[in-house]
Amino acid sequence: IFSLISAWQTGEWSINSLMDLPMNILSIALMMKLGLAPLHFWMPEVLQGISLPTGLILSTWQKIAPMALLLQTSHLINLNLTIALGLTSIMVGGWGGIGQTQLRKIMAFSSIGHLGWIIVILKFDPQLSLLNFVLYIIMTAAMFMSLTTISATKMLEISTSWSKTPALTTTTMLILLSLAGLPPLTGFAPKLLITLELVKQNATLLAVMVMFISLLALFFYIRLTYMVTLTLSPNTPNSLLTWRTASRSYSTTAIMNTMALILLPITPTLLLL
């Protein structure tokens, strides 16, 4: 509504003038739409109750519009608000995912944590926030598409997927490490760039807090990786019938998985774009 009124009054979609109170209300509404903590309570339960393809849409496509509005209004947004909600989201995203066994809820808390990183840097460098958001969409889409292919919604199901698709199970494990932000995978780039930007903006304490809080999320990513790769030997199950899959092309999943793993070397090129 705010953006429509602004476009009606000014004749353009750029949002250049909003008072503090309307801007804060707009920011909080958009952050609730994104699922940022402490306005996140709807997201894990909704994501748990829907199918994996619908969860993919909810975690990626549905967030493009509110993020676009936040990027347009980044010069008007309250810095204290973004830092507070960003830190809270990173903490909730890590703390909430630790005790989960349902993969969709884990991806929901992962989404909350990643969006916290994006919001923390939004006021300092909107272009970096946009790059982080694009990489988040790529990694999250790759993870959901992989889970859809192996039909896994629980940890137990993903731990027995080796006999079904060994190559996809391996790339799924690497995507989890990419989501955790470990080098030399794609997910390391946004965390490195955001940390460097915060240090450059003399927000070293904020950078240290963000990195330490992110260790919570690193724990459940590594736990998932352990479940995928180290809890079941790569043997063939007794019943082969349950592991038969339909003959269809997985080229889109392969492309997304590749992008979710190897974009780190071309990060300087992405920054120039």
Side-chain angles (χ1 to χ4, degrees):
I1 292 175
F2 280 113
S3 58
L4 288 175
I5 293 174
S6 176
W8 175 42
Q9 291 180 344
T10 62
E12 59 182 18
W13 285 105
S14 299
I15 303 174
N16 297 316
S17 58
L18 278 177
M19 300 299 290
D20 287 341
L21 182 59
M23 187 61 229
N24 289 338
I25 295 173
L26 174 62
S27 302
I28 293 172
L30 292 174
M31 290 174 184
M32 182 174 67
K33 181 76 171 174
L34 288 170
L36 286 165
L39 311 168
H40 68 286
F41 294 102
W42 64 273
M43 190 173 178
E45 300 302 326
V46 170
L47 206 59
Q48 175 61 28
I50 57 181
S51 63
L52 286 170
T54 312
L56 166 62
I57 296 173
L58 182 68
S59 299
T60 56
W61 183 263
Q62 181 257 348
K63 298 186 185 300
I64 293 177
M67 182 54 66
L69 285 173
L70 277 179
L71 288 170
Q72 283 191 12
T73 58
S74 60
H75 59 290
L76 301 172
I77 203 166
N78 189 303
L79 178 60
N80 294 328
L81 180 66
T82 59
I83 292 176
L85 267 67
L87 285 175
T88 306
S89 298
I90 297 171
M91 179 175 292
V92 169
W95 196 266
I98 286 179
Q100 299 295 333
T101 58
Q102 299 289 330
L103 294 177
R104 284 169 292 187
K105 277 195 174 182
I106 288 176
M107 290 306 299
F109 285 108
S110 170
S111 174
I112 294 168
H114 278 90
L115 289 168
W117 278 85
I118 296 171
I119 294 300
V120 160
I121 202 65
L122 179 64
K123 183 74 172 180
F124 296 106
D125 192 341
Q127 286 76 23
L128 185 53
S129 287
L130 178 59
L131 173 64
N132 195 355
F133 183 64
V134 172
L135 295 178
Y136 155 78
I137 286 181
I138 291 173
M139 292 185 293
T140 303
M143 190 64 195
F144 269 102
M145 293 169 74
S146 299
L147 293 177
T148 302
T149 303
I150 60 181
S151 302
T153 57
K154 296 189 289 289
M155 279 191 177
L156 179 62
E157 294 169 351
I158 200 174
S159 67
T160 58
S161 63
W162 179 276
S163 303
K164 181 179 179 181
T165 48
L168 184 59
T169 302
T170 303
T171 56
T172 301
M173 178 268 292
L174 292 174
I175 292 170
L176 285 169
L177 295 179
S178 182
L179 284 167
L182 297 182
L185 304 172
T186 300
F188 178 65
K191 288 182 168 55
L192 174 64
L193 294 172
I194 288 174
T195 304
L196 292 176
E197 181 65 26
L198 288 175
V199 173
K200 188 171 74 174
Q201 297 286 345
N202 293 322
T204 308
L205 180 60
L206 177 60
V208 171
M209 290 175 62
V210 166
M211 286 189 290
F212 269 107
I213 296 173
S214 295
L215 293 178
L216 292 169
L218 179 63
F219 172 79
F220 70 76
Y221 286 125
I222 292 180
R223 184 180 67 156
L224 262 179
T225 304
Y226 173 80
M227 290 284 293
V228 171
T229 57
L230 298 176
T231 57
L232 184 71
S233 59
N235 56 352
T236 304
N238 295 327
S239 176
L240 298 178
L241 184 61
T242 58
W243 298 102
R244 299 304 182 196
T245 56
S247 178
R248 61 179 186 269
S249 174
Y250 298 113
S251 57
T252 306
T253 304
I255 292 171
M256 294 301 295
N257 287 6
T258 304
M259 293 175 65
L261 297 178
I262 64 169
L263 290 185
L264 178 62
I266 65 170
T267 301
T269 306
L270 295 177
L271 288 175
L272 291 177
L273 298 177

